[in-house]
Amino acid sequence: MLKEFTYDVPTIERGYASQTLYVNLSSNEIKLRPVDDKMKETFTGGKGFDLWLMWNGLPKDRIVKWDDPENEICIATGPLGGVTQYPGAGKSIVTSISPETGIVIDSNVGGYFGPNLKFSGFDAMEIQGKADKDVYIFIDGDKGRIEIHDATDLPDLAYEITRVLSERHTEKEGKDMSVVTAGPGAEHAWMGCLNFSWWDMRRDLPRYKQAGRGGIGTVFRNKRIKALVAKKDKITLDMNGPADLEAIKEVGREHSGEILNQDPNQNRMRVIGTAHLPSIMDEFDLLPTRNFRTGGDPEARALFGDVWEKIFTNAGKGWDGCWRPCAINCSHCIEGFELRTGPFKGKKVVVDGPEYETIAGCGSNIGVFDAHWVAEFNFYCDAYGLDTISFGTTMGFVMELFEGGHIDQKATGGHKLNWGAAEHVAAVLHEIAEGKGFGGKHFGKGVRYLKGYFAKEFGVNEKHMQDIGMEHKGLEYSEYVTKESLAQQGGYGLTLKGPQHDEAWLIFLDQVHNYMPTFEQKAEALHYFPMWRTWFGLNGLCKLPWNDVVPPDNAESDEPAKVPKHVEFYARFFEAMTGRPTKGKDLIKMSEKVYNFQRIFNIRQGKGLRLHDSFIPYRSAGPVTDWEYESRQDRYDAQLKDIGIDIAGKSTTEKNKALRENREETYRLLTDAAYKRRGWTRNGVPRPEKVKELGLDWIPEVMNIVQKHHDSEPPKETLPKIDSAWR
Ligand code: SF4
């Protein structure tokens, strides 16, 4: 043991422990920090607390890089986290400066770490510094002890680390603890993820959820952390100290009851989880196929929900909730899965998932229409600590360049990366874990890095790579084809942290349900939904119970996209926990404060202006190649006619050019409209009066930043050079 620290475990009151934990791995310093009412009122909790801790903890006089010792990893649940009466109430929110984007990334993840951390006495945990050897941090919330241990004897693979720590630290085989780990891949890639464990009571083994996006696992290993452990023997109904326990029980019962009644008639999440989505996405031309070129393929049938239903072990026959009391129960797995490649070749393992994003990213998007291979990639990405979304999207980009003859085997380290070349994909994956070859040296750094690498070393056309490389702000796209959804183009491009589905997932509402047909409605949605979705991350909640199962009469409500009945449930839940009178609109205000604060944090990090929201890869807005145009020719021809363009006698290339000019201009107009609705300037800066209205003006540096930038004009939109100072 390198350090030991003891403390009195506080009583949780109205959802808060009212203190946070600080650990510095350079000095082994451990201390507690108070949480006052101003912090609760301004930042609510969860991601809000993480951001506030980082804002104060990072040096303010310079841009902090992801691998600076001063960079932090913060983990928090929220005031509603750890409530055993409510579906989806077990989430942790992790933040750090991302290796991929250079700004704050946050990831919302299941498992028991966040609740165990709170019940151990901490609303959030803040880790700074870098250890000089591998370490793990053990939080014993039963005894009030925190220990930093030498971890040089721990194994490398994420799943094995959990097994060893369970044996070492608990008499209950790990049932009372949650472990956070990365893996060897996270050491060599910028797309490293974190695995958060939860105990599967039915199978009697640890299971995992991933904080996938933006490379927090990479920061974790750069700090030389092998694992975090939070142990708490029992979690009970009243441990959160709610203002009104009976009211929480009542609203929890109503929401859970509705899910249990409606899920069988709606998405059948209890049986197939998010694997119900590939068939719907394919039907609506939204399923990314071969690097987002099209939104579906006849072969995609092999990845539909009925296939996964047969593969998932005991699908729908028991308890598969990453938060045990969650009525949705969507966290399915494959037991006894025999691996074909890698260090575990021939072994039978448990695969957590796959979820929709993995099925699309590591399946259709790379031309692998084979469920077994998708599960294999899923297992190894988790075991190595790699984000399946970034891995699949990066692989799609490399494959398209390879298929098009822009690069050859010299550029890929000998791998024949044609569409569907599953064995070669697996080989690249294993190279990342080993830190060798193309995978270990280049691929794991993602699309933006590879664009620079291929341009510089192999002379690949930069403009083409900007068009087809599916990243923005440095983060790889999550798995939706957005060509026909302007709202989702903005939902990806106008985000705080890059194109992910956590912040603004509008595609279904826009393209499938057509809830926002006008331009103004799309701009309104780009205000409302990012704010609303942020609220879950402030409170330690999962978003799926909000709109993956809806009330039977939801379509008849005034605003079905918002699922008004569930918004009212959440307002009652928040009020019953905190004792603060709360209506639906108050929830949005909570988020708006944090959302604007994060935007200002980005500006402090040298980004967060209009330039950084511009230049989405054109493939996310329309067809890049003539082949893509011709594959949906009737649709695009009709659209050109609708906007008054005479297509008679025009070649595909000419028509495609006209379509592109229109779509790029439309995105610019959408940006103007969304900024206006959010109370931001044309350059994307929150206006000083907005900051005051939100009550953030008590933070002097916040006002300094917005006052410095609020009258800046957006620069002329010129596509920056690849490998430029953007990083
Ligand atoms: S809905 Fe699924 S992911 Fe969300 S908490 Fe419940 S089981 Fe976990």
Side-chain angles (χ1 to χ4, degrees), residues 88 91 209 320-323 326 328-331 542 544-545:
K91 292 281 185 160
K209 281 284 188 181
D320 268 335
C322 73
W323 179 240
C326 181
I328 290 200
N329 260 287
C330 71
S331 304
C542 177
L544 300 189

PDB file of all heavy atoms in Angstrom, residues 88 91 209 320-323 326 328-331 542 544-545, ligand 1:
ATOM      1  N   GLY A  88     -33.227   2.938 -14.144  1.00  0.00           N
ATOM      2  CA  GLY A  88     -32.113   3.677 -14.755  1.00  0.00           C
ATOM      3  C   GLY A  88     -31.367   4.587 -13.816  1.00  0.00           C
ATOM      4  O   GLY A  88     -30.656   5.492 -14.277  1.00  0.00           O
ATOM      5  N   LYS A  91     -26.415   5.504 -12.852  1.00  0.00           N
ATOM      6  CA  LYS A  91     -25.369   5.940 -13.788  1.00  0.00           C
ATOM      7  C   LYS A  91     -24.254   6.746 -13.118  1.00  0.00           C
ATOM      8  O   LYS A  91     -24.457   7.426 -12.120  1.00  0.00           O
ATOM      9  CB  LYS A  91     -26.002   6.792 -14.890  1.00  0.00           C
ATOM     10  CG  LYS A  91     -26.903   5.981 -15.806  1.00  0.00           C
ATOM     11  CD  LYS A  91     -26.099   5.203 -16.828  1.00  0.00           C
ATOM     12  CE  LYS A  91     -27.006   4.491 -17.810  1.00  0.00           C
ATOM     13  NZ  LYS A  91     -26.360   4.122 -19.039  1.00  0.00           N
ATOM     14  N   LYS A 209     -20.254  -2.230 -18.221  1.00  0.00           N
ATOM     15  CA  LYS A 209     -20.754  -1.193 -19.118  1.00  0.00           C
ATOM     16  C   LYS A 209     -19.571  -0.277 -19.426  1.00  0.00           C
ATOM     17  O   LYS A 209     -18.670  -0.126 -18.602  1.00  0.00           O
ATOM     18  CB  LYS A 209     -21.865  -0.390 -18.441  1.00  0.00           C
ATOM     19  CG  LYS A 209     -23.198  -1.104 -18.440  1.00  0.00           C
ATOM     20  CD  LYS A 209     -23.818  -1.022 -19.815  1.00  0.00           C
ATOM     21  CE  LYS A 209     -25.234  -1.550 -19.832  1.00  0.00           C
ATOM     22  NZ  LYS A 209     -25.819  -1.491 -21.175  1.00  0.00           N
ATOM     23  N   ASP A 320     -31.519  -8.611 -16.533  1.00  0.00           N
ATOM     24  CA  ASP A 320     -30.330  -8.129 -17.225  1.00  0.00           C
ATOM     25  C   ASP A 320     -30.217  -6.613 -17.095  1.00  0.00           C
ATOM     26  O   ASP A 320     -29.985  -5.914 -18.064  1.00  0.00           O
ATOM     27  CB  ASP A 320     -30.387  -8.507 -18.717  1.00  0.00           C
ATOM     28  CG  ASP A 320     -29.709  -9.846 -18.998  1.00  0.00           C
ATOM     29  OD1 ASP A 320     -28.833 -10.234 -18.205  1.00  0.00           O
ATOM     30  OD2 ASP A 320     -30.065 -10.490 -19.989  1.00  0.00           O
ATOM     31  N   GLY A 321     -30.363  -6.122 -15.892  1.00  0.00           N
ATOM     32  CA  GLY A 321     -30.283  -4.674 -15.691  1.00  0.00           C
ATOM     33  C   GLY A 321     -28.926  -4.272 -15.154  1.00  0.00           C
ATOM     34  O   GLY A 321     -28.465  -4.831 -14.166  1.00  0.00           O
ATOM     35  N   CYS A 322     -28.282  -3.293 -15.783  1.00  0.00           N
ATOM     36  CA  CYS A 322     -26.993  -2.825 -15.261  1.00  0.00           C
ATOM     37  C   CYS A 322     -27.216  -2.034 -13.974  1.00  0.00           C
ATOM     38  O   CYS A 322     -26.283  -1.754 -13.243  1.00  0.00           O
ATOM     39  CB  CYS A 322     -26.245  -2.003 -16.294  1.00  0.00           C
ATOM     40  SG  CYS A 322     -26.909  -0.370 -16.590  1.00  0.00           S
ATOM     41  N   TRP A 323     -28.469  -1.644 -13.734  1.00  0.00           N
ATOM     42  CA  TRP A 323     -28.908  -1.164 -12.429  1.00  0.00           C
ATOM     43  C   TRP A 323     -30.008  -2.132 -12.035  1.00  0.00           C
ATOM     44  O   TRP A 323     -31.035  -2.212 -12.692  1.00  0.00           O
ATOM     45  CB  TRP A 323     -29.429   0.283 -12.529  1.00  0.00           C
ATOM     46  CG  TRP A 323     -29.940   0.866 -11.247  1.00  0.00           C
ATOM     47  CD1 TRP A 323     -31.203   1.321 -11.007  1.00  0.00           C
ATOM     48  CD2 TRP A 323     -29.201   1.069 -10.044  1.00  0.00           C
ATOM     49  NE1 TRP A 323     -31.298   1.798  -9.726  1.00  0.00           N
ATOM     50  CE2 TRP A 323     -30.082   1.655  -9.102  1.00  0.00           C
ATOM     51  CE3 TRP A 323     -27.886   0.803  -9.638  1.00  0.00           C
ATOM     52  CZ2 TRP A 323     -29.691   1.984  -7.810  1.00  0.00           C
ATOM     53  CZ3 TRP A 323     -27.498   1.129  -8.348  1.00  0.00           C
ATOM     54  CH2 TRP A 323     -28.392   1.716  -7.456  1.00  0.00           C
ATOM     55  N   CYS A 326     -33.752  -1.729 -12.440  1.00  0.00           N
ATOM     56  CA  CYS A 326     -34.230  -1.080 -13.662  1.00  0.00           C
ATOM     57  C   CYS A 326     -35.230  -1.970 -14.398  1.00  0.00           C
ATOM     58  O   CYS A 326     -34.913  -3.100 -14.769  1.00  0.00           O
ATOM     59  CB  CYS A 326     -33.063  -0.742 -14.586  1.00  0.00           C
ATOM     60  SG  CYS A 326     -33.630   0.097 -16.079  1.00  0.00           S
ATOM     61  N   ILE A 328     -36.353  -1.726 -17.353  1.00  0.00           N
ATOM     62  CA  ILE A 328     -36.099  -1.950 -18.786  1.00  0.00           C
ATOM     63  C   ILE A 328     -35.216  -3.181 -18.996  1.00  0.00           C
ATOM     64  O   ILE A 328     -35.420  -3.964 -19.919  1.00  0.00           O
ATOM     65  CB  ILE A 328     -35.485  -0.695 -19.438  1.00  0.00           C
ATOM     66  CG1 ILE A 328     -36.555   0.399 -19.504  1.00  0.00           C
ATOM     67  CG2 ILE A 328     -34.981  -1.012 -20.839  1.00  0.00           C
ATOM     68  CD1 ILE A 328     -36.329   1.490 -20.487  1.00  0.00           C
ATOM     69  N   ASN A 329     -34.188  -3.331 -18.155  1.00  0.00           N
ATOM     70  CA  ASN A 329     -33.414  -4.584 -18.206  1.00  0.00           C
ATOM     71  C   ASN A 329     -32.814  -4.883 -19.569  1.00  0.00           C
ATOM     72  O   ASN A 329     -33.002  -5.978 -20.126  1.00  0.00           O
ATOM     73  CB  ASN A 329     -34.353  -5.745 -17.875  1.00  0.00           C
ATOM     74  CG  ASN A 329     -34.207  -6.180 -16.460  1.00  0.00           C
ATOM     75  OD1 ASN A 329     -33.204  -6.791 -16.123  1.00  0.00           O
ATOM     76  ND2 ASN A 329     -35.166  -5.839 -15.649  1.00  0.00           N
ATOM     77  N   CYS A 330     -32.093  -3.929 -20.132  1.00  0.00           N
ATOM     78  CA  CYS A 330     -31.696  -4.091 -21.535  1.00  0.00           C
ATOM     79  C   CYS A 330     -30.271  -4.612 -21.723  1.00  0.00           C
ATOM     80  O   CYS A 330     -29.805  -4.729 -22.852  1.00  0.00           O
ATOM     81  CB  CYS A 330     -31.840  -2.760 -22.260  1.00  0.00           C
ATOM     82  SG  CYS A 330     -30.609  -1.549 -21.784  1.00  0.00           S
ATOM     83  N   SER A 331     -29.546  -4.914 -20.616  1.00  0.00           N
ATOM     84  CA  SER A 331     -28.114  -5.203 -20.758  1.00  0.00           C
ATOM     85  C   SER A 331     -27.873  -6.699 -20.968  1.00  0.00           C
ATOM     86  O   SER A 331     -27.475  -7.427 -20.053  1.00  0.00           O
ATOM     87  CB  SER A 331     -27.373  -4.720 -19.517  1.00  0.00           C
ATOM     88  OG  SER A 331     -27.639  -3.361 -19.336  1.00  0.00           O
ATOM     89  N   CYS A 542     -30.135   7.127 -16.419  1.00  0.00           N
ATOM     90  CA  CYS A 542     -30.093   6.609 -17.784  1.00  0.00           C
ATOM     91  C   CYS A 542     -31.241   7.250 -18.581  1.00  0.00           C
ATOM     92  O   CYS A 542     -32.342   7.406 -18.058  1.00  0.00           O
ATOM     93  CB  CYS A 542     -30.288   5.094 -17.719  1.00  0.00           C
ATOM     94  SG  CYS A 542     -30.356   4.297 -19.324  1.00  0.00           S
ATOM     95  N   LEU A 544     -32.679   5.968 -21.295  1.00  0.00           N
ATOM     96  CA  LEU A 544     -33.568   5.036 -22.003  1.00  0.00           C
ATOM     97  C   LEU A 544     -34.988   4.975 -21.417  1.00  0.00           C
ATOM     98  O   LEU A 544     -35.956   4.922 -22.164  1.00  0.00           O
ATOM     99  CB  LEU A 544     -32.955   3.635 -22.066  1.00  0.00           C
ATOM    100  CG  LEU A 544     -31.597   3.503 -22.778  1.00  0.00           C
ATOM    101  CD1 LEU A 544     -31.221   2.045 -22.946  1.00  0.00           C
ATOM    102  CD2 LEU A 544     -31.614   4.171 -24.139  1.00  0.00           C
ATOM    103  N   PRO A 545     -35.137   4.993 -20.076  1.00  0.00           N
ATOM    104  CA  PRO A 545     -36.514   4.946 -19.563  1.00  0.00           C
ATOM    105  C   PRO A 545     -37.340   6.174 -19.944  1.00  0.00           C
ATOM    106  O   PRO A 545     -38.565   6.144 -19.845  1.00  0.00           O
ATOM    107  CB  PRO A 545     -36.322   4.874 -18.038  1.00  0.00           C
ATOM    108  CG  PRO A 545     -34.958   4.299 -17.849  1.00  0.00           C
ATOM    109  CD  PRO A 545     -34.138   4.856 -18.992  1.00  0.00           C
TER     110      PRO A 545
HETATM  111  S1  SF4 B   1     -32.266   1.019 -19.372  1.00  0.00           S
HETATM  112 FE1  SF4 B   1     -30.674  -0.508 -19.753  1.00  0.00          FE
HETATM  113  S2  SF4 B   1     -28.735   0.704 -19.775  1.00  0.00           S
HETATM  114 FE2  SF4 B   1     -30.321   1.970 -18.797  1.00  0.00          FE
HETATM  115  S3  SF4 B   1     -30.061   1.516 -16.597  1.00  0.00           S
HETATM  116 FE3  SF4 B   1     -31.674   0.155 -17.384  1.00  0.00          FE
HETATM  117  S4  SF4 B   1     -30.559  -1.744 -17.863  1.00  0.00           S
HETATM  118 FE4  SF4 B   1     -29.007  -0.128 -17.690  1.00  0.00          FE
END
